[in-house]
Amino acid sequence: MAEGSEPQPNNPLSRKLNKILETRLDNDKEMVEALKALSTFFVDNSLRSRRNLRGDIEKRSLAINESFEGAFRDVKQQLDAVHADIEQMSRCCTEMTSRLKSARDQTSDLISKTTTLQAESQRIQMKETVADAFISRFQLKPDEVQALKGTRNGPISETFFEALSRVKEIHKDCKLLLRTKQQTAGLQIMEAMALHLESSYEKLYRWSQGPGGTPRPIELHSHDPVRYVGDMLAWLHQAIASEKELLHSLLRNSSSSTSGAGHCVRAGRRDAVQFSKHSKILWHNDRIELPPPDLSPTESLRETMSLLRDVLTCHDASVIPLDARQADYSRIISCLVDPLIQMCSMSASHLNASDMAAYMINCIHQIQSTLAVYEFTDKHIEMLAGQTEAHLDTLISEQASFILARSGVGNLYTVYQENRGQRVALSSLHGMDPQSVKDAMAKFDKYLSCPDSLVMPQCNLLRTTRLRDTVHKRAVDAVCATYKTLYDAIVNDSNKYPDVKTLVPRTPDQVTSLLT
């Protein structure tokens, strides 16, 4: 290059120098920081220092890295110690888990038995509470029994009358049991209370006689029909003679009055004979007549109802005041209806639930039909209606179960009820799988095509069309409700049934329309 000539603009060295000279250090923070760091150890700007600058920088970098390495070595040692502690803790946890699993396996049977016993204990406590409440309402306390018994000829205190009132209250409450399915218990309690009443009245009668006593009333021999009728006729003979003399002296010229008196005497004699027959029936009810094959009322029940009609008809024609007649009606009907219901229940005790329900419905209907034509019988008819309703519920339940069991739906509903609370798809359960549902619905379709094929014989033996229709309608309602429950469960997406339209082709409304 000639002296004094300008450098070529394309010279690489020139470009680098120009680039360095054009660099603004105040905008390059990294360069500024690097120069600051360099100024801490580059203090002598000599030729030797400039030549050794790279080595000094590398030594300083090495020193810094060694410092980092030492610091990280300490960290690593601490981490190794922590790792060792964690491994030891892990081994301890594994050992504890193993021990806990072994202990759980050993005590699982004990826990299961304990849980079962606790549940059983709760059930027993509940039963004990119910039993205590039942006993407190339908049984006498020991001191009340002692107050009723007392000594044979001892005095009668206020506690005796309180206990007697308690007996009457229990006897009245037993009628509530007769309207439920606890009829056997109700009848037994009523019988026990009747014995208490009888012994109490006898004691009260002896107490009222006083030390000397009075003539024994002829009603004490009502259990012996022959003697009772004989005593009644003897009393009538004596009463007629005295009344005849009195009437002749008072009404010598009134033949019509004498005739009327004779009619009253004859009516009294007829009532006495009829009630002697009634007494005979009640006191000989230990020879209970078994229900006939068609579950209709027994011959003894029909004869008793015929007797009751005669007594009520005769009483209805009497001229006694209305209040007295109403009281007599209530007393006569109460003396007959309760023993008759008890007799029917005892005669049906060997029957199954369906036969017993149909038989009791027919017997109660016979009694209701007899009472319905007379006045002052509304209270007793209402009580009988309650008992009929209880037996109807039993028969309806049996009829609905009969249909469900034979139409294929019953098994599905049983599986559904047993697994209703579990969070599992019904289609995965045995007995509710798609094939089981399909087979059950095929059987159910056969029932829908001929609903009368699954009517229990007991339903057809009911004496009235109204009751037969009631049983049919309410049983069908129960079947439709069961089908709707299953239908809703099957079409629910969470139960994962495939092609539900094929599995359950009929909607609940369609089933209801076919059955009603």
Side-chain angles (χ1 to χ4, degrees), residues 261-291:
H263 172 74
C264 292
V265 172
R266 287 193 299 272
R269 185 184 297 112
R270 184 169 63 251
D271 285 347
V273 173
Q274 288 173 336
F275 275 104
S276 70
K277 293 179 180 178
H278 166 221
S279 176
K280 181 177 181 180
I281 291 174
L282 294 182
W283 282 94
H284 290 79
N285 63 0
D286 55 331
R287 296 191 295 271
I288 297 176
E289 185 178 358
L290 297 179

Side-chain angles (χ1 to χ4, degrees), residues 119-368:
E120 184 66 22
S121 176
Q122 292 177 353
R123 287 194 295 270
I124 292 175
Q125 289 178 357
M126 179 64 69
K127 291 180 180 179
E128 182 181 3
T129 302
V130 174
D132 291 340
F134 184 86
I135 291 174
S136 65
R137 182 170 183 180
F138 292 100
Q139 291 293 329
L140 293 174
K141 298 178 181 178
D143 54 345
E144 292 174 336
V145 175
Q146 184 62 32
L148 290 176
K149 291 182 178 179
T151 58
R152 180 173 180 83
N153 296 316
I156 292 181
S157 61
E158 184 67 24
T159 56
F160 173 84
F161 293 101
E162 292 176 355
L164 186 59
S165 299
R166 175 67 176 149
V167 171
K168 293 181 179 180
E169 181 182 355
I170 294 175
H171 192 275
K172 181 180 179 181
D173 290 341
C174 286
K175 295 180 180 180
L176 299 176
L177 293 178
L178 297 179
R179 301 180 184 179
T180 65
K181 296 183 180 180
Q182 307 298 329
Q183 295 181 354
T184 302
L187 293 173
Q188 292 176 351
I189 296 174
M190 287 184 70
E191 184 177 358
M193 294 302 108
L195 293 176
H196 282 302
L197 284 174
E198 183 178 356
S199 62
S200 300
Y201 287 146
E202 183 178 357
K203 180 179 179 181
L204 186 61
Y205 170 72
R206 289 197 304 269
W207 175 78
S208 64
Q209 282 185 324
T214 58
R216 296 170 63 85
I218 61 176
E219 283 78 6
L220 293 180
H221 301 292
S222 60
H223 62 281
D224 186 351
V226 177
R227 181 170 179 178
Y228 180 67
V229 173
D231 291 345
M232 179 65 75
L233 293 177
W235 177 84
L236 286 173
H237 178 74
Q238 181 181 0
I240 289 172
S242 59
E243 292 294 331
K244 182 178 180 181
E245 293 178 1
L246 179 61
L247 289 173
H248 274 296
S249 63
L250 295 177
L251 305 171
R252 294 181 184 275
N253 299 323
S254 179
S255 59
S256 60
S257 298
T258 305
S259 176
H263 172 74
C264 292
V265 172
R266 287 193 299 272
R269 185 184 297 112
R270 184 169 63 251
D271 285 347
V273 173
Q274 288 173 336
F275 275 104
S276 70
K277 293 179 180 178
H278 166 221
S279 176
K280 181 177 181 180
I281 291 174
L282 294 182
W283 282 94
H284 290 79
N285 63 0
D286 55 331
R287 296 191 295 271
I288 297 176
E289 185 178 358
L290 297 179
D294 62 352
L295 302 180
S296 61
T298 59
E299 185 64 27
S300 60
L301 177 61
R302 288 195 291 267
E303 290 178 356
T304 306
M305 289 297 99
S306 177
L307 171 63
L308 180 60
R309 279 193 296 269
D310 293 340
V311 173
L312 294 180
T313 301
C314 179
H315 208 67
D316 197 34
S318 63
V319 294
I320 61 176
L322 184 64
D323 294 341
R325 184 165 53 182
Q326 181 176 359
D328 290 343
Y329 264 63
S330 179
R331 186 163 53 252
I332 293 171
I333 295 173
S334 297
C335 289
L336 272 175
V337 170
D338 291 343
L340 283 175
I341 296 296
Q342 181 179 2
M343 180 189 70
C344 294
S345 298
M346 294 177 65
S347 66
S349 59
H350 69 287
L351 301 177
N352 58 44
S354 302
D355 288 341
M356 182 177 183
Y359 172 69
M360 292 299 298
I361 290 172
N362 289 334
C363 292
I364 295 174
H365 174 72
Q366 180 77 24
I367 300 173
Q368 281 181 303

Side-chain angles (χ1 to χ4, degrees), residues 85-152:
D85 293 340
I86 291 175
E87 284 187 343
Q88 185 177 1
M89 291 175 63
S90 176
R91 288 193 297 271
C92 291
C93 291
T94 302
E95 183 179 359
M96 291 175 63
T97 302
S98 177
R99 291 181 180 179
L100 288 174
K101 183 178 180 181
S102 177
R104 184 173 63 249
D105 294 339
Q106 294 175 359
T107 59
S108 59
D109 292 340
L110 179 61
I111 294 174
S112 177
K113 292 180 180 179
T114 302
T115 303
T116 303
L117 290 175
Q118 288 177 347
E120 184 66 22
S121 176
Q122 292 177 353
R123 287 194 295 270
I124 292 175
Q125 289 178 357
M126 179 64 69
K127 291 180 180 179
E128 182 181 3
T129 302
V130 174
D132 291 340
F134 184 86
I135 291 174
S136 65
R137 182 170 183 180
F138 292 100
Q139 291 293 329
L140 293 174
K141 298 178 181 178
D143 54 345
E144 292 174 336
V145 175
Q146 184 62 32
L148 290 176
K149 291 182 178 179
T151 58
R152 180 173 180 83

Side-chain angles (χ1 to χ4, degrees), residues 323-486:
D323 294 341
R325 184 165 53 182
Q326 181 176 359
D328 290 343
Y329 264 63
S330 179
R331 186 163 53 252
I332 293 171
I333 295 173
S334 297
C335 289
L336 272 175
V337 170
D338 291 343
L340 283 175
I341 296 296
Q342 181 179 2
M343 180 189 70
C344 294
S345 298
M346 294 177 65
S347 66
S349 59
H350 69 287
L351 301 177
N352 58 44
S354 302
D355 288 341
M356 182 177 183
Y359 172 69
M360 292 299 298
I361 290 172
N362 289 334
C363 292
I364 295 174
H365 174 72
Q366 180 77 24
I367 300 173
Q368 281 181 303
S369 301
T370 303
L371 298 180
V373 298
Y374 298 99
E375 56 183 350
F376 311 128
T377 59
D378 293 342
K379 177 181 177 181
H380 297 86
I381 291 177
E382 182 180 356
M383 182 194 72
L384 293 172
Q387 297 185 32
T388 300
E389 189 66 25
H391 292 298
L392 277 176
D393 289 341
T394 300
L395 192 58
I396 290 166
S397 177
E398 293 292 329
Q399 174 63 43
S401 300
F402 183 83
I403 295 174
L404 293 174
R406 287 160 178 76
S407 64
V409 179
N411 293 333
L412 295 181
Y413 190 70
T414 300
V415 177
Y416 168 77
Q417 288 288 93
E418 292 175 351
N419 299 274
R420 182 171 55 179
Q422 299 182 9
R423 295 183 178 180
V424 60
L426 293 178
S427 59
S428 63
L429 297 176
H430 178 69
M432 279 292 290
D433 54 278
Q435 186 60 43
S436 298
V437 173
K438 185 177 181 180
D439 295 341
M441 291 304 160
K443 292 181 64 177
F444 190 69
D445 275 346
K446 293 181 180 179
Y447 161 68
L448 294 178
S449 63
C450 186
D452 294 338
S453 62
L454 293 182
V455 176
M456 291 194 308
Q458 293 86 346
C459 296
N460 291 327
L461 294 178
L462 295 180
R463 307 282 288 180
T464 66
T465 304
R466 179 182 62 83
L467 293 178
R468 289 196 296 269
D469 292 342
T470 299
V471 172
H472 172 74
K473 181 181 182 304
R474 290 167 61 179
V476 166
D477 290 343
V479 172
C480 292
T482 302
Y483 179 82
K484 184 179 186 303
T485 300
L486 292 174

Side-chain angles (χ1 to χ4, degrees), residues 70-91:
F72 279 117
R73 184 184 301 111
D74 295 338
V75 172
K76 179 180 179 301
Q77 291 176 354
Q78 294 178 2
L79 289 176
D80 290 340
V82 172
H83 177 69
D85 293 340
I86 291 175
E87 284 187 343
Q88 185 177 1
M89 291 175 63
S90 176
R91 288 193 297 271

